[in-house]
Amino acid sequence: MLSKMVTDRMKASDSVIAALTNLGPKLGAQADTAFSPLLKKGETVPDLALLAALMVRLLEQRSAAMQKADSAHNDELADDAEPRERRDEAARQVYATLVEVKQGVMALFGDSWVAKLRLPNELPQDPAALSRLAEEVQKALQVTKLPKPRLAGVKSFDAEPWIAQLSGPSKDLADALKAVQREAREAQATLIEKSRSVAAFDDVFSKAVSVAAALLRFVGENEHADRLRPSVKRPGTLEPETPVTTGDDAPEPDAGSGSANG
């Protein structure tokens, strides 16, 4: 599906292409009439119909390139959903495991050991911050000698189950973060290509509008030429047409206004 900015440009492009295409039959006759009496020996009347046709082809070429780049960027954005979902799910698992570890540390060893094992007072929600924290906590659990648990009946404690419990989700989160970053870089690349294609289209579009308007006036189609006005605020598009007011559309005079005879 094309983005709105490209769809709007395509509609404007179709209007200019239609104008240039329909000009062909008139341009040859009008050029002969206007220029033939002015020719010198060896000269020929310029082929304005070919000029119009070439502008159509150029505009169609740039339009196709813009559509292709827009579709590629939209496809790339659609690919981002799956790794982001994996990242968010892994982040939820890491967060839940860290909460469990933190509560276990407080229960077994007291509040002072929470900080010693690199656990903050408030766990972060950001996936990247969670990933870094999970790695730090795992390392702390591996290298820190824990004291005897303060709970009655518990003589020793093995941190390996906590380390193993963190390991899987932590790795999944790190892998998902890398995938999201990769997709972001790829999306940036397709966005740059789209921006370049749109700029190239806008450049040709402005020239095509100028050529079409000039040729329309050349064959006496001034009203049609007036409708081809590039938008100042929205490059690559045309200004909306102003409704034509006819005599029938004019408001009727107030019956009570005006002067009475006699």
Side-chain angles (χ1 to χ4, degrees):
M1 182 177 179
L2 296 177
S3 62
K4 186 179 185 303
M5 66 176 294
V6 170
T7 300
D8 290 345
R9 282 170 165 79
M10 297 310 304
K11 291 179 181 178
S13 176
D14 289 343
S15 297
V16 178
I17 287 174
L20 287 168
T21 301
N22 294 332
L23 275 172
K26 291 185 177 182
L27 284 172
Q30 185 67 19
D32 283 338
T33 300
F35 298 137
S36 290
L38 306 176
L39 294 176
K40 295 182 179 180
K41 187 176 180 180
E43 295 177 338
T44 57
V45 174
D47 192 343
L48 298 184
L50 178 60
L51 172 62
L54 291 175
M55 289 303 301
V56 166
R57 294 173 198 171
L58 183 58
L59 191 54
E60 288 175 338
Q61 181 188 67
R62 296 295 172 85
S63 298
M66 178 176 63
Q67 291 182 71
K68 182 178 179 181
D70 188 47
S71 296
H73 181 58
N74 291 337
D75 290 343
E76 184 56 46
L77 292 179
D79 290 342
D80 290 356
E82 192 273 335
R84 289 180 186 277
E85 290 174 359
R86 286 196 289 114
R87 177 202 63 187
D88 294 343
E89 177 58 30
R92 283 191 288 269
Q93 293 184 24
V94 168
Y95 183 89
T97 304
L98 287 172
V99 168
E100 184 177 337
V101 170
K102 182 177 179 180
Q103 291 174 343
V105 169
M106 293 171 63
L108 291 171
F109 310 111
D111 294 351
S112 63
W113 278 89
V114 171
K116 293 178 182 179
L117 292 175
R118 309 304 297 273
L119 286 160
N121 291 330
E122 185 174 348
L123 297 178
Q125 298 285 345
D126 178 71
L130 275 173
S131 181
R132 291 191 296 270
L133 177 59
E135 292 181 3
E136 292 175 0
V137 172
Q138 287 181 81
K139 291 178 181 177
L141 287 170
Q142 290 169 344
V143 301
T144 303
K145 184 177 180 180
L146 296 172
K148 180 181 177 180
R150 66 180 187 177
L151 291 179
V154 181
K155 296 181 179 180
S156 63
F157 177 79
D158 184 5
E160 284 301 322
W162 278 351
I163 296 172
Q165 192 176 354
L166 269 172
S167 178
S170 178
K171 183 179 184 306
D172 291 343
L173 179 55
D175 292 343
L177 284 169
K178 290 178 182 178
V180 169
Q181 292 171 354
R182 182 175 62 252
E183 292 293 338
R185 291 193 296 270
E186 292 174 354
Q188 184 64 28
T190 56
L191 178 60
I192 291 173
E193 184 59 33
K194 172 183 172 178
S195 299
R196 290 173 177 171
S197 297
V198 169
F201 169 86
D202 289 350
D203 177 62
V204 168
F205 179 82
S206 64
K207 295 172 182 176
V209 171
S210 298
V211 170
L215 293 179
L216 282 167
R217 295 189 191 285
F218 181 72
V219 298
E221 297 288 350
N222 293 329
E223 290 182 354
H224 288 119
D226 290 339
R227 293 173 182 166
L228 296 181
R229 294 178 296 119
S231 173
V232 176
K233 297 181 179 179
R234 300 169 62 211
T237 64
L238 298 172
E239 291 287 358
E241 293 185 20
T242 303
V244 178
T245 302
T246 63
D248 295 336
D249 298 326
E252 295 183 1
D254 188 346
S257 62
S259 59
N261 292 330

